Amino acid sequence: MKWNLRMVAAQRDIWKASELQRMLADAGLVISAGKMSHLWSGRPLTVRLDDLDIICEVLECTTADLLIPEKRAARQPAPTPETERQVVGGTPLTHQRRPGRSGPPL
């Protein structure tokens, strides 16, 4: 997901993080300067759902405006036990089950 707070704020003529921080505080959401910096820079560490509701209320937007989905790279299929793996600087390894060992619990 891409965090789009700055763009949404700019569309509402809010150009400074401190201005948005004051507006959020007026709505009952007090955010530290450090967390506000992360939110504003586009790299939030965490965003609580309750906080997200207040942010959307203050900016008069939806969560879909703030959270933009991004395409992910295609997942590689999970390796099977029989798959050979190359060790850097070494020889290929073959994974085999040792006799006398039970399988994982189901």
Side-chain angles (χ1 to χ4, degrees), residues 36-71:
M36 191 66 212
S37 175
H38 284 287
L39 289 172
W40 193 255
S41 69
R43 295 182 314 269
L45 301 174
T46 60
V47 179
R48 293 180 45 217
L49 293 177
D50 293 342
D51 296 350
L52 188 59
D53 283 340
I54 295 172
I55 293 169
C56 288
E57 181 182 316
V58 167
L59 292 176
E60 298 175 354
C61 67
T62 66
T63 55
D65 297 327
L66 293 174
L67 299 170
I68 309 290
E70 293 182 315
K71 290 186 179 182

